[in-house]
């Protein structure tokens, strides 16, 4: 089977001055993930490798450099899902985990559960040797400054101008036909302590079913949860008959994955009245991305092996 990889670094109003950092992070993450797949490695290792690069890069709202919550802490959420077994490993509201994707993977592989949160998740990390860190080391100065301005004034988008950043995600298919999807985030700026968004929730911020495809979402979590967007995409990939009557006669024919991604974003706007985006691979590895924000940071490996990177 031909391997395939698509990743994202969030759908937001990415300002011009942040574009280069986003592109650089996406390129490095594609390189790491593709290195695994190209040499016949496993999809789970490829999504992990790509997500770790993005978590470590402060340009994105995941791992180091995440937005701070109302109390001034970084609280992280992540999920990884196996398209063969439909089992997921997810964690939420952790504050001392350097790479949340590693903890999500430990939950997937070493527990009978699908999701652990807060203190229980961190205890599991300690017991299974997942690298921990001090809460301080996850904080980037830029985020502390933005948080202070939000506290003095009211929380406002202007305080984040120049460094609006987004959740990260990856979907990979390997030569053996294994399909994995993953998402990792620091959530929204000035969120209430304990708030969990769509990202680590199975079916909302992530889903993988080897019979249909894999999806990772980004954007306004409260809206994405309302329409269970990742599962919506998978259901449309499974049975796309509902999409066909809605095509305009003179519209350019779209690939099925692209029609599905577009339909999900339309639904997010029409039914949840909000913004976001998603990336996906169908079960054969055909990629698609869609968003209704000004920009989305994402990239995938083209059939010839070259990287397509946006914005
Ligand atoms: N969906 C994330 C959340 O609501 C935020 C994002 O994608 O940037 O936590």
């Amino acid at each position: 089977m031909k391997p395939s990889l698509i990743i994202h670094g969030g759908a937001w109003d990415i300002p011009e001055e942040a574009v280069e950092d986003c592109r650089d992070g996406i390129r490095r993450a594609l390189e790491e993930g593709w290195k695994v797949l190209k040499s016949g490695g496993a999809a789970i290792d490829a999504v992990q490798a790509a997500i770790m690069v993005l978590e470590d890069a402060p340009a994105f709202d995941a791992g180091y450099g995440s937005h701070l919550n109302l109390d001034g802490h970084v609280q992280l959420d992540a999920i990884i899902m196996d398209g063969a077994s439909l089992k997921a490993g997810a964690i939420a509201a952790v504050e001392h985990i350097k790479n949340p994707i590693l903890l999500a993977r430990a939950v997937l592989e070493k527990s009978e559960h699908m999701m652990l949160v807060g203190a229980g998740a961190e205890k599991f990390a300690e017991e299974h040797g997942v690298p921990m860190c001090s809460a301080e080391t996850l904080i980037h100065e830029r985020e502390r400054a933005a948080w202070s301005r939000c506290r003095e004034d009211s929380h406002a988008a202007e305080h984040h101008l120049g460094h609006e950043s987004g959740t990260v995600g990856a979907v990979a298919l390997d030569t053996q036909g294994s399909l994995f999807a993953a998402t990792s985030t620091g959530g929204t700026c000035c969120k209430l302590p304990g708030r969990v968004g769509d990202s680590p929730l199975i079916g909302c911020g992530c889903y993988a079913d080897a019979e249909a495809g894999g999806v990772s979402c980004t954007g306004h979590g409260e809206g994405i949860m309302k329409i269970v967007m990742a599962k919506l995409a998978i259901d449309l990939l499974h049975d796309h008959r509902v999409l066909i009557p809605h095509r305009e006669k003179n519209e350019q024919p779209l690939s099925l994955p692209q029609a599905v991604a577009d339909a999900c974003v339309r639904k997010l706007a029409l039914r949840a009245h909000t913004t976001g985006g998603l990336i996906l691979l169908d079960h054969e590895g055909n990629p698609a991305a869609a968003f209704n924000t000004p920009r989305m940071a994402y990239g995938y490996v083209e059939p010839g092996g070259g990287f397509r990177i946006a914005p």
Side-chain angles (χ1 to χ4, degrees), residues 12 61 165-167 185 187-188 195 197-199 218-222 224:
W12 292 102
D61 179 28
S165 62
T167 294
T185 190
T188 48
R195 175 266 187 190
D198 63 299
S199 305
T218 171
H220 182 230
E222 282 69 9
I224 294 170

Side-chain angles (χ1 to χ4, degrees), residues 236 239-246:
L236 289 172
D239 182 358
H240 57 274
R241 288 171 299 176
V242 289
L243 288 175
I244 293 163
H246 294 281

Side-chain angles (χ1 to χ4, degrees), residues 4 49 58 75 80 90 95 101 128 152 183 194 203 220 230 236 255 265 273:
S4 186
Q75 267 194 349
I80 185 162
E95 298 188 2
I101 193 67
H128 290 86
E152 281 161 20
T183 305
H220 182 230
L236 289 172
S255 70
V265 168
H273 310 292

Side-chain angles (χ1 to χ4, degrees), residues 10-284:
W12 292 102
D13 190 0
I14 302 168
E16 204 50 51
E17 56 270 37
V19 164
E20 253 334 291
D21 282 349
C22 286
R23 288 179 62 86
D24 177 62
I26 293 290
R27 184 185 43 73
R28 288 186 296 109
L30 279 175
E31 275 167 10
E32 286 306 304
W34 193 236
K35 212 191 284 174
V36 174
L37 293 174
K38 219 172 47 180
S39 56
I44 187 170
D45 294 328
V47 293
Q48 177 188 304
I51 297 250
M52 282 178 73
V53 170
L54 299 169
E55 286 177 339
D56 290 342
F60 305 103
D61 179 28
Y64 171 55
S66 288
H67 296 319
L68 306 192
N69 69 9
L70 205 56
D71 285 350
H73 298 168
V74 164
Q75 267 194 349
L76 302 168
D77 310 327
I79 182 171
I80 185 162
M81 183 164 179
D82 177 356
S85 66
L86 303 183
K87 188 178 188 295
I91 52 106
V94 296
E95 298 188 2
H96 304 93
I97 305 297
K98 184 175 176 293
N99 289 107
I101 193 67
L102 294 180
L103 182 51
R105 181 171 178 172
V107 173
L108 170 73
E109 293 180 331
K110 297 177 181 159
S111 91
E112 59 179 295
H113 303 304
M114 301 274 261
M115 185 176 215
L116 297 176
V117 306
E122 296 199 354
K123 183 162 178 276
F124 187 82
E126 262 180 75
E127 287 166 2
H128 290 86
V130 175
M132 313 273 295
C133 64
S134 76
E136 275 298 300
T137 57
L138 293 169
I139 298 180
H140 190 284
E141 236 357 273
R142 174 201 72 202
E143 290 301 322
R144 202 195 302 276
W147 175 79
S148 303
R149 288 196 293 275
C150 289
R151 298 287 292 173
E152 281 161 20
D153 197 339
S154 61
H155 172 65
E158 303 87 81
H159 298 328
H160 300 272
L161 274 186
H163 66 88
E164 187 72 273
S165 62
T167 294
V168 307
V171 186
L173 177 72
D174 65 28
T175 50
Q176 305 300 305
S178 279
L179 181 79
F180 277 80
T183 305
S184 180
T185 190
T188 48
C189 179
C190 291
K191 64 187 180 182
L192 287 178
R195 175 266 187 190
V196 176
D198 63 299
S199 305
L201 302 184
I202 188 167
C204 294
C206 181
Y207 203 83
D209 179 346
E211 293 179 8
V215 182
S216 174
C217 302
T218 171
H220 182 230
E222 282 69 9
I224 294 170
M225 285 188 265
K226 286 179 182 170
I227 65 159
V228 196
M229 190 155 84
K231 184 62 163 57
L232 172 66
I234 294 294
D235 288 346
L236 289 172
L237 283 172
H238 253 307
D239 182 358
H240 57 274
R241 288 171 299 176
V242 289
L243 288 175
I244 293 163
H246 294 281
R247 275 198 197 156
E248 298 292 334
K249 268 204 195 101
N250 51 1
E251 228 175 52
Q252 291 275 66
L254 291 174
S255 70
L256 174 62
Q258 192 59 53
V260 165
D262 289 350
C264 290
V265 168
R266 273 202 297 274
K267 175 105 179 184
L268 186 67
L270 291 172
R271 193 64 188 90
H273 310 292
T274 193
T275 57
L278 72 163
I279 54 164
L280 62 85
L281 293 181
D282 72 6
H283 70 289
E284 291 174 333

